[in-house]
Amino acid sequence: MSENFEKVANEIRRVKARNEITLTEVPAPQKLAPHAMALSAEVTEITATGRFVLLHDPKGQEGWGGEFRCVTFIRSAIDTEMANDPVLCDLGWSYLMDSLGKNDAKFSNPSGTVTKVSSASFGTLKGQVESNELEIRASWTPDIPEKLVNHTKAWLETIEIACGLMPIPAGVTQLSHNN
């Protein structure tokens, strides 16, 4: 295991999510890079999930523009009014871009998709409530490997925004459920 990667991975493992988000390390994809780690996020009481994958190849890979690559996935339930907003996909992308900027997570080579999914039920399922979701899939190359923890924080903030959690004001500490 790359010593540089393990140091960064350990810093990311120490990131604390707000109380509504359960953060868990999960198996990472094995074939995308020589070194990888992955985190899963579940938002309690709101249907929202996310995954953050950190890839590391000391030789770099074509298209990355560096040794590291962040890959994310976020899915959140949204209301029908939001799902019908014609700029929703642009807005979803801006959630991520703004969060990266706010968290001083400098990057290059971004790519991704934002998808809105609306489902209606028919036949024997008719009468079930219509469901709507926003999905953000993205990857980017962090410019400063020493600040990879900032990219993880930006991902968590994007999940918070996507599922409508109110921001915790600066200087306010959220009490843990154990207190």
Side-chain angles (χ1 to χ4, degrees), residues 21-39:
I21 300 174
T22 302
L23 204 52
T24 308
E25 187 167 358
V26 295
Q30 297 297 307
K31 297 181 181 182
L32 300 176
H35 309 287
M37 75 163 299
L39 297 175

Side-chain angles (χ1 to χ4, degrees), residues 4 9 11 16 18 25 40 57 63 65 77-78 96 101 105-107 111 114 122 130 137 159-160 167 170 173 176-177:
N4 189 26
E11 289 175 14
K16 300 289 184 215
R18 60 192 286 165
E25 187 167 358
S40 174
D57 188 335
I78 56 174
L96 177 61
K106 299 190 182 339
F107 64 94
S111 64
V114 177
F122 300 93
E130 182 178 316
R137 297 173 188 264
I159 292 171
E160 294 170 12
T173 303
S176 73
H177 291 292

Side-chain angles (χ1 to χ4, degrees), residues 33-60:
H35 309 287
M37 75 163 299
L39 297 175
S40 174
E42 297 286 332
V43 182
T44 55
E45 298 185 29
I46 300 172
T47 307
T49 61
R51 183 163 292 211
F52 178 88
V53 178
L54 177 63
L55 304 172
H56 176 59
D57 188 335
K59 297 176 186 173

